[in-house]
């Protein structure tokens, strides 16, 4: 029998579109109210975020939710909107559709 019992796996908190929107607004849309950012608003086409911002958002997801988005998932399609970011994070956490 091992000397140390197995630790229970850590649970990932629910990944919130509101949290993601708040982060995006704080970092990339100062002066805009979080409630004004629609979950489907195209952040890339409107130049709110760019490829460097995708990396910053992925880093924030890792810090906030302990979810590491695989490099292959760090695409503009997966970070185009708040909803796309949430869906990508949920897949990375093993909760969303593949």
């Amino acid at each position: 029998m091992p000397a140390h019992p197995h630790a229970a796996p850590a649970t990932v908190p629910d990944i919130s579109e509101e949290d993601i929107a708040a982060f995006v607004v704080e970092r990339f849309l100062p002066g805009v109210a979080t409630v004004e950012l629609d979950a489907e608003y195209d952040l890339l086409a409107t130049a709110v975020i760019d490829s460097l911002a995708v990396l910053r958002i992925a880093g924030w997801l890792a810090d906030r939710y302990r979810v590491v988005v695989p490099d292959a998932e760090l695409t503009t399609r997966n970070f185009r909107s708040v909803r796309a970011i949430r869906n990508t994070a949920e897949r990375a956490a093993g909760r969303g559709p593949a």
Side-chain angles (χ1 to χ4, degrees):
M1 182 187 266
H4 302 287
H6 294 290
T11 59
V12 176
D14 288 335
I15 299 167
S16 160
E17 285 183 2
E18 292 79 18
D19 281 352
I20 295 167
F23 178 79
V24 169
V25 165
E26 177 186 321
R27 297 296 171 128
F28 309 107
L29 285 169
V32 173
T34 301
V35 296
E36 292 179 41
L37 181 58
D38 184 271
E40 293 292 337
Y41 184 74
D42 195 325
L43 301 167
L44 289 157
T46 56
V48 171
I49 65 172
D50 58 16
S51 57
L52 183 56
V54 167
L55 296 176
R56 291 181 73 189
I57 295 167
W60 174 79
L61 289 169
D63 290 343
R64 171 78 171 96
Y65 293 105
R66 303 288 184 241
V67 171
V68 177
V69 177
D71 289 347
E73 295 289 314
L74 295 174
T75 65
T76 54
R77 186 176 132 243
N78 289 337
F79 285 79
R80 184 162 301 283
S81 67
V82 167
R83 181 147 303 137
I85 294 167
R86 189 205 68 217
N87 291 341
T88 300
E90 286 183 344
R91 275 193 313 276
R95 286 202 211 142

